[in-house]
Amino acid sequence: MPVAQTQSRRALVVGISGVLAGAVLVVVVLLAGNTRKEIKFGSDTFTAGSAASLARSVPLIFPDPVNGDRPIFLQHLGPGVNHGWLAFDAQVDGCPLSWDAKAKEFVDTCTKDRYPADGTGLHQYPVSVRNGRV
């Protein structure tokens, strides 16, 4: 019985083409996977609560309400509950700040540096009061 001749050259070309096509696909997938896209849900703002209630218990600390990596202090130093609200970082270079009620200032727990009650020297965030809510 006769045996069919193989076309080794054709088989070699098909094999190499398959390997090259696979390599190209891997490169395309890796390049497409390296593009970072940020998806945001909701708003960059949050409502802490009733200005009248919160003003009685300041300063308040909140875990970062937007990104989860920067806690903030919410402080009230103004006249009346609708004015004088401040928000600022509650940590410096990863070290948390604590409130020294007697001295009425914030203390860096790592360096012992002190910051005034209004957060001067710390990154500040805008605060607004709408309909009695901060």
Side-chain angles (χ1 to χ4, degrees):
M1 194 177 227
V3 176
Q5 285 186 344
T6 60
Q7 296 179 356
S8 58
R9 179 176 271 171
R10 184 174 180 196
L12 184 62
V13 169
V14 169
I16 290 173
S17 297
V19 169
L20 288 174
V24 168
L25 282 175
V26 167
V27 169
V28 167
V29 168
L30 289 175
L31 289 175
N34 280 342
T35 59
R36 288 185 66 162
K37 295 180 181 167
E38 187 175 322
I39 299 173
K40 286 188 157 193
F41 296 100
S43 170
D44 284 348
T45 62
F46 80 104
T47 301
S50 163
S53 295
L54 295 174
R56 291 189 295 264
S57 55
V58 291
L60 298 164
I61 189 166
F62 290 92
D64 181 352
V66 178
N67 298 323
D69 61 350
R70 295 173 76 177
I72 63 168
F73 276 113
L74 181 63
Q75 177 73 297
H76 179 256
L77 297 176
V81 295
N82 291 323
H83 302 286
W85 287 95
L86 305 162
F88 43 87
D89 280 343
Q91 65 182 12
V92 176
D93 297 328
C95 290
L97 301 177
S98 64
W99 175 244
D100 181 340
K102 188 175 183 179
K104 295 192 186 298
E105 58 189 7
F106 295 95
V107 181
D108 184 317
T109 59
C110 296
T111 65
K112 306 303 181 214
D113 289 341
R114 295 183 169 269
Y115 298 90
D118 66 358
T120 298
L122 301 168
H123 182 80
Q124 303 279 323
Y125 300 94
V127 180
S128 62
V129 178
R130 291 188 184 115
N131 300 323
R133 301 186 64 73
V134 179

